[in-house]
Amino acid sequence: MSTILIRGARPYGEEPSDILIDGERIAQIAAAGTLAAPEGAEVIDAEGLIALPGLVDLHVHLREPGFESSETVLTGSRAAAKGGFTTIFAMPNTSPVQDTAGVVETVWALGREAGYADVHPIGAVTVGQAGEHLAELGSMADSRAHVRMFSDDGHCVFDPLIMRRALEYVKAFDGVVAQHAQDPKLTIGAQMNEGSLSAELGLGGWPEVAETSIIARDALLAEQVDSRVHVCHLSTATAVDIVRFAKARGIKITAEVTPHHLLLTEEKVRGFDARFKVNPPLRTESDVMKLRAALADGTIDVVGTDHAPHPVDSKQKEWDHAAMGMVGLESALRIVHATMVNTGLLDWRGVARVMSETPAKIGSAAEAGRPLEAGELANVVLYDPEASSVFTEADLSGKSTNSPYLGLELPGSVEYTVYRGTPTLRAGVPAAEEEVARANRTRLAESEL
């Protein structure tokens, strides 16, 4: 396995340091200029770059199996590397749905084969995500994929009895149910945020009570059975108040916010550009400000991208008929930089908390989200905070291009990603598939000796 010396990076944006990586792990961290490169080591000049623990995303749609024209485990995990992620959690809305041990093991194995990141499948809560019968939660938990997070994302677990049973079941192995909080009855025909703008544009409205009523119900169910519930892509100011109230009662509730809900508002819908069509919808400016503040003060725990690739023909349609969702892995850190760091709401340790450490804990990914210290896994992202560029399709490494940021000037640049001691991104360019796969095979073979 390889040896890497990172010269002069600033861990968490603090004092410049040298970071020596030997095989899978960080061997040593010392003041910049004090470590010598071992013979044959790859040397990365990281002067001016910030070093963070490899990022962790609890909310990614990889589309495989079944929808490989949109994304695959390989292309999605390569996009993750481009964005600085070393651990991603794959949502179950595939075909077949990830609701059995066999399917989650398939996705897990595809991730190991690709080698760009640790891929953790998320198991469906109900069979086929149909909301009628619990899926094989225990079998998925006991499988080689070791599933600990379950969700019907894209669909709400609307039946309160099934939600309660799921919370009771996952408690046995410290699992968590991640809820897509959307009352289906209140959002029939919904096309955008409900309010004066939806009335003006003549589009069906998605009211905030459709989100808040489910979050409140699930918080009380989680309290009753003393289990863990996680709110996916929270989007409204009132939902923040409910989560804050629940946490104050000691309820085991966590929540995530997407980068696009930290930056974009419903005003983007005026142009009827379907890149901005997403579920839950873009909300108001006051919602955005409340979400930023809640992420800063810890009410919202983590950032999750809800990376949702779609082929061009699914988005280039009239608004009413276009698919919901947008890609976000490659742009997430830059959006958090723009909305949370440049506004003074988070420092770089705070970014590590919400994009690496806490999501790893919620997902029970024990080896991920660890601090940059000797002895820890060498999952590292090197980021240039002084860079700035217009975001283009060249910045995307997955199969789909439905990004809402195309043409926008964004701060920063992800320069290097190191996953378990293997560079998967160098100078902003993803490493070749064969190089990554070869290094991964060597690592896995050595770990099995």
Side-chain angles (χ1 to χ4, degrees):
M1 297 188 69
S2 62
T3 303
I4 301 171
L5 178 63
I6 300 173
R7 290 191 187 277
R10 294 189 296 132
Y12 306 99
E14 297 166 1
E15 293 301 311
S17 302
D18 293 341
I19 303 172
L20 180 63
I21 295 171
D22 185 14
E24 270 196 299
R25 298 195 173 272
I26 296 173
Q28 194 173 359
I29 299 181
T34 60
L35 296 183
E39 185 177 352
E42 178 177 348
V43 178
I44 297 175
D45 180 3
E47 184 176 354
L49 303 185
I50 290 171
L52 297 174
L55 305 182
V56 179
D57 191 349
L58 293 175
H59 198 143
V60 176
H61 297 272
L62 293 179
R63 305 302 193 202
E64 188 179 15
F67 306 103
E68 289 83 356
S69 62
S70 297
E71 197 74 284
T72 66
V73 174
L74 170 62
T75 61
S77 56
R78 186 178 62 204
K82 175 78 171 174
F85 292 90
T86 55
T87 301
I88 54 177
F89 287 71
M91 282 293 177
N93 54 338
T94 52
S95 180
V97 169
Q98 294 169 198
D99 59 5
T100 67
V103 181
V104 295
E105 285 191 347
T106 296
V107 174
W108 171 80
L110 288 169
R112 277 166 62 95
E113 182 179 343
Y116 280 94
D118 283 338
V119 176
H120 295 273
I122 295 174
V125 176
T126 64
V127 175
Q129 294 186 290
E132 297 176 351
H133 306 285
L134 275 185
E136 300 172 3
L137 308 186
S139 296
M140 289 188 277
D142 292 338
S143 72
R144 291 188 300 161
H146 198 65
V147 175
R148 288 295 179 271
M149 178 171 269
F150 299 86
S151 179
D152 275 359
D153 186 57
H155 304 277
C156 180
V157 181
F158 185 54
D159 186 321
L161 182 58
I162 289 180
M163 186 64 181
R164 177 180 172 178
R165 294 285 182 257
L167 289 165
E168 290 173 334
Y169 208 108
V170 303
K171 182 181 175 183
F173 44 80
D174 194 29
V176 60
V177 179
Q179 176 68 290
H180 176 110
Q182 177 187 0
D183 186 311
K185 298 291 187 183
L186 291 172
T187 53
I188 293 174
Q191 294 288 324
M192 66 171 293
N193 182 48
E194 182 178 273
S196 58
L197 185 58
S198 66
E200 175 187 337
L201 298 177
L203 295 175
W206 201 120
E208 73 164 16
V209 69
E211 176 176 275
T212 54
S213 59
I214 296 296
I215 294 173
R217 182 203 73 175
D218 289 350
L220 295 173
L221 289 173
E223 180 180 43
Q224 184 178 42
V225 302
D226 191 28
S227 188
R228 292 199 293 143
V229 65
H230 177 73
V231 183
C232 294
H233 42 50
L234 184 152
S235 68
T236 63
T238 306
V240 169
D241 293 333
I242 293 170
V243 171
R244 182 175 290 123
F245 169 79
K247 286 188 171 185
R249 284 176 64 91
I251 296 172
K252 296 174 180 174
I253 188 170
T254 53
E256 71 187 30
V257 62
T258 70
H260 47 272
H261 285 108
L262 291 172
L263 178 67
L264 306 173
T265 72
E266 63 176 1
E267 287 295 321
K268 290 293 184 183
V269 181
R270 285 188 182 278
F272 293 100
D273 182 341
R275 288 182 300 134
F276 299 103
K277 185 175 180 180
V278 67
N279 185 12
L282 301 177
R283 303 291 189 179
T284 67
E285 181 72 15
S286 61
D287 289 310
V288 168
M289 293 300 110
K290 188 77 171 277
L291 295 174
R292 291 183 185 182
L295 182 63
D297 70 22
T299 303
I300 295 177
D301 302 85
V302 302
V303 173
T305 65
D306 194 6
H307 177 83
H310 290 292
V312 172
D313 59 1
S314 293
K315 294 296 274 186
Q316 289 187 348
K317 293 182 174 180
E318 290 183 2
W319 181 274
D320 287 8
H321 301 291
M324 294 182 174
M326 49 185 67
V327 295
L329 283 166
E330 299 98 328
S331 50
L333 184 54
R334 299 176 70 180
I335 299 301
V336 170
H337 181 183
T339 58
M340 300 300 296
V341 179
N342 283 354
T343 55
L345 291 168
L346 285 180
D347 59 14
W348 291 104
R349 280 198 179 269
V351 172
R353 170 173 58 82
V354 301
M355 297 191 73
S356 181
E357 296 163 6
T358 305
K361 291 176 182 174
I362 293 171
S364 299
E367 292 187 306
R370 301 291 300 163
L372 294 175
E373 293 178 357
E376 299 288 356
L377 268 186
N379 288 339
V380 184
V381 54
L382 299 176
Y383 184 74
D384 184 354
E386 301 302 325
S388 179
S389 63
V390 174
F391 197 79
T392 70
E393 290 188 8
D395 291 299
L396 299 172
S397 291
K399 278 193 169 184
S400 298
T401 59
N402 52 309
S403 168
Y405 310 116
L406 297 177
L408 289 183
E409 181 89 15
L410 298 182
S413 173
V414 180
E415 291 295 313
Y416 288 84
T417 303
V418 179
Y419 162 64
R420 291 181 176 266
T422 297
T424 53
L425 184 80
R426 290 188 179 90
V429 178
E433 293 175 15
E434 180 50 38
E435 177 192 353
V436 172
R438 185 171 57 249
N440 194 46
R441 287 194 294 270
T442 300
R443 178 176 58 79
L444 291 174
E446 291 182 357
S447 67
E448 293 171 358
L449 290 177

